[in-house]
Amino acid sequence: MTRPEEKQSKKLFIKTYGCQMNVYDSERMGDALSVSGYSVVDSPEGADMILLNTCHIREKAAEKIYSELGRMRPHKEANPDLKIGVAGCVAQAEGEEIIRRQPMVDLVVGPQAYHRLPTMLDHVKDGGTVVDTDFPEEDKFTQLPRGPKAKRAPSAFLTVQEGCDKFCAFCVVPYTRGAEVSRPPARLLEEARDLLERGVVEINLLGQNVNAYEADGWSLARLIKEMAKLDGLKRIRFTTSHPNDMGDDLIAAFGEEEKLMPYLHLPVQSGSDKVLKAMNRKHTAESYLKVLERIRAVRPDIALSGDFIVGFPGEEEVDFQATLDLCKEVRYGAAYSFKYSPRPGTPAADRAHVDEAVKGERLKRLQTLITEHQFAFQQSMVGQTIPVLLERAGRDAGQMVGKSPYLHAVHLDAGPEMAGQIVNAKILHSERNSLAGEML
Ligand code: SAH
Ligand code: SF4
Ligand code: F3S
């Protein structure tokens, strides 16, 4: 005999693309739909509903979604009652066009409308389609119901700020995520306490411009300080920051707050002031380097990471050289670089583009340099003893993967019962993308 809850439970498969905010949103959508009787599964086989949580940042990312939808056909043929939804930034940018291009899709939901998902399901139940790309006034996160108090992995994301008012000339985010909105601190502390009860020990505060956080008179620095007082919280991180929003109190927090990890992702995009101006970044290479200097003064071991775009319209070899020079000066612990991808509706899309082959060649040179610095930084960890947060089982039995304060993956011999503990480890080798060490 089936128990009533088994009869009710429908299977929901969510595939997540793009940034960490989408990872957080997917978890919250899973929570919201659990109230409608769905439980999240980790494969599309036999699912009753498939949601693609999408990214629109570069052309390839958006095109990937249409190929993925094509691959969903066999699932739909096997189960005509299967519902297929597209969420995230492609949903916001393309709206109804998605259903025109791929009629298999039942629902399209933009990032600010997730709390309406349960109602949307009622519409698609009988074969209808729904497109909701509104930016409603209400806070989607407050409206999203909570899931059951299930155990969580030791490290969790918590969105504190969403949207962007910066309008860099290349970027879709201000259009897909909307204006900058910060969530009230009381709610964030409550959500943090809930995460801690479920076994979380590290919280990564998320925002498209997380350091522009401002709510009820609180800055991000104040939020970090108050969060650090929560018992059981061992580590705090935040991402992604904008150079122009690195306030004095946030810089000081790196020197004052032990729980705040010595790692900062601070995208600069280019080392050329001409290109930065054309990108509408509103900072110069020098003002960016000044910010880093001030952070290093209070936290000398800070590891930096960044984002770069190569081949932005108007970028000449001399501008690209300035990017390489900036990289050499900063020596990033990690950095992400991309070929400029024209995005419909953004100011730079209509400008004269740099030749694809030139973009490719510049990207290669930049990535070679970044990789060199990354390896050197990893190598400098060998022989050091560092605190490692054990997070998940490793490839080999008896191994766990943890994280260094500087965000390196560290492999150690340890049992799964140690997940969530911070142990001291001596680093023995540096591998391609990780470190290996022994627990002391
Ligand atoms: N709010 C964050 C995230 C932006 S998207 C920030 O300001 O950093 C992440 C990265 O994608 C950007 O930093 C940029 O390097 C890259 N990116 C954004 N739009 C792009 C485009 N049109 N072409 C290539 N890379 C792009
Ligand atoms: Fe995009 Fe610029 Fe806003 Fe970052 S700051 S999300 S790159 S517009
Ligand atoms: Fe992509 Fe949207 Fe994040 S475009 S990077 S999923 S904000």
Side-chain angles (χ1 to χ4, degrees), residues 164 166-168 170-171 173-174 208-209 242 269 281:
C164 181
K166 303 282 189 292
F167 291 93
C168 298
F170 49 82
C171 185
V173 172
Q208 261 94 36
N209 283 296
H242 191 283
Q269 315 299 351
R281 289 287 295 182

Side-chain angles (χ1 to χ4, degrees), residues 57-58 170 208 240 267 269 307 309 338-341 343:
I57 202 80
R58 285 169 287 274
F170 49 82
Q208 261 94 36
T240 294
Q269 315 299 351
D307 288 341
I309 294 177
F338 315 95
K339 282 196 267 185
Y340 169 68
S341 170
R343 307 307 292 128

